Amino acid sequence: MKKIFYLNILLALLFITISCENERTIYSLTDTAEASFPSTIVNYQMVAEDGNKIVVELWRGNTKGAVSVPVTITNNTNGVFTPEKQKFDFADGESVAYLTFTYPSIADFGGERYQIILEIADEVASPSAIKKMTVSAQRKLTYQSLGIGTFTSEFFEESWPQEVLKAEEADFYRLPDCYYNGYTMEFSIQDGKINFAKQPMGYVHSSYGMVSWHTTYLEYCEIDGKTITLVPDFVVDAGSFGGYYEVLELP
């Protein structure tokens, strides 16, 4: 009886072990590069000392042998940034490879921002890899104060003195601590048109969280001498508050 009892216990333990093994995910070592980008997004501030190039990294976990990792490049810069090749080349033993993008003279840039998306295939990536990375590149701008102007907000129904900063290199403007301390609002003027990106303005709605400027009504923005009318749509994740006329009187 004892032998039968012990045998039953062993069979039960074996069944439990097999059941657990079926639920476990096991990653076996392979000969792939086990590659990964270092982050999902990387920002480059372009300066003259860069020699008209930006350099992007790819990492790998398996450093055995020399290997080339192809990369898919979605380049929406209208040919401004040119990749030297379409792959990352690792020498034997190297854990980091580099890909260089070249661009024209930095003097040709204003403050516009460019984006390039790089992606590697699943079969060359490690199980926990970052397989896609967005490269954001912008000329580094030097801002100086123009003085104190007046900001009139239809959203808040009030006006206040507002410092205005302008980049030396282009018609890019910053309004430090515009609505709330710590939140700088930015816009640019290009070819006589006002542009601005979606950006948090500091007001936190009690139910929906942070409110941001959005670009829904750019066609209503206008410049009249020193008066700049910005018409952002104030948005949260759940919706928007409609377009409001925010007026800046330059110093």
Side-chain angles (χ1 to χ4, degrees):
M1 289 295 293
K2 286 184 179 180
K3 289 183 179 180
I4 294 174
F5 178 72
Y6 288 138
L7 181 60
N8 287 336
I9 291 176
L10 289 172
L11 289 173
L13 289 173
L14 180 60
F15 175 79
I16 292 172
T17 301
I18 293 172
S19 299
C20 292
E21 287 297 329
N22 288 337
E23 295 178 0
R24 183 184 303 166
T25 301
I26 300 174
Y27 295 106
S28 60
L29 293 176
T30 67
D31 291 331
T32 64
E34 299 176 19
S36 175
F37 289 110
S39 62
T40 57
I41 186 168
V42 59
N43 294 298
Y44 287 91
Q45 293 288 312
M46 299 150 54
V47 294
E49 291 75 18
D50 290 338
N52 299 350
K53 63 184 179 182
I54 60 175
V55 181
V56 182
E57 293 184 1
L58 182 70
W59 300 348
R60 67 166 175 166
N62 180 3
T63 61
K64 181 181 178 182
V67 66
S68 293
V69 176
V71 60
T72 300
I73 302 173
T74 304
N75 191 344
N76 296 323
T77 68
N78 294 321
V80 175
F81 290 86
T82 305
E84 62 176 347
K85 51 190 175 182
Q86 302 287 324
K87 59 183 180 177
F88 288 88
D89 292 319
F90 293 88
D92 184 21
E94 285 185 341
S95 60
V96 182
Y98 303 93
L99 179 59
T100 298
F101 288 81
T102 58
Y103 56 84
S105 170
I106 197 168
D108 295 340
F109 290 84
E112 59 277 3
R113 187 182 299 273
Y114 296 88
Q115 285 193 338
I116 306 166
I117 299 173
L118 294 87
E119 189 169 5
I120 57 173
D122 291 344
E123 54 266 25
V124 296
S126 65
S128 59
I130 298 172
K131 292 175 285 189
K132 187 175 182 180
M133 183 172 73
T134 299
V135 177
S136 178
Q138 182 183 33
R139 181 179 181 178
K140 187 175 182 179
L141 300 176
T142 306
Y143 284 89
Q144 291 189 349
S145 177
L146 293 180
I148 305 298
T150 302
F151 193 89
T152 301
S153 172
E154 186 180 44
F155 184 80
F156 284 108
E157 298 182 342
E158 61 178 296
S159 298
W160 55 83
Q162 178 62 56
E163 184 180 20
V164 182
L165 307 180
K166 181 184 178 299
E168 292 181 356
E169 300 86 352
D171 288 331
F172 276 63
Y173 297 83
R174 285 181 174 174
L175 308 178
D177 303 324
C178 182
Y179 296 100
Y180 290 90
N181 289 337
Y183 290 87
T184 295
M185 309 309 294
E186 299 183 346
F187 67 94
S188 66
I189 299 175
Q190 297 172 289
D191 299 324
K193 295 183 179 180
I194 299 171
N195 296 282
F196 52 84
K198 182 179 179 181
Q199 52 194 302
M201 47 85 75
Y203 172 57
V204 180
H205 190 277
S206 58
S207 300
Y208 301 109
M210 178 63 72
V211 179
S212 297
W213 274 14
H214 201 267
T215 59
T216 308
Y217 302 105
L218 282 178
E219 67 270 22
Y220 296 106
C221 298
E222 62 180 17
I223 306 165
D224 183 9
K226 287 192 172 185
T227 301
I228 297 175
T229 302
L230 305 158
V231 190
D233 191 13
F234 289 84
V235 300
V236 293
D237 289 341
S240 70
F241 299 97
Y244 287 84
Y245 284 72
E246 311 293 277
V247 179
L248 173 66
E249 294 286 345
L250 293 173

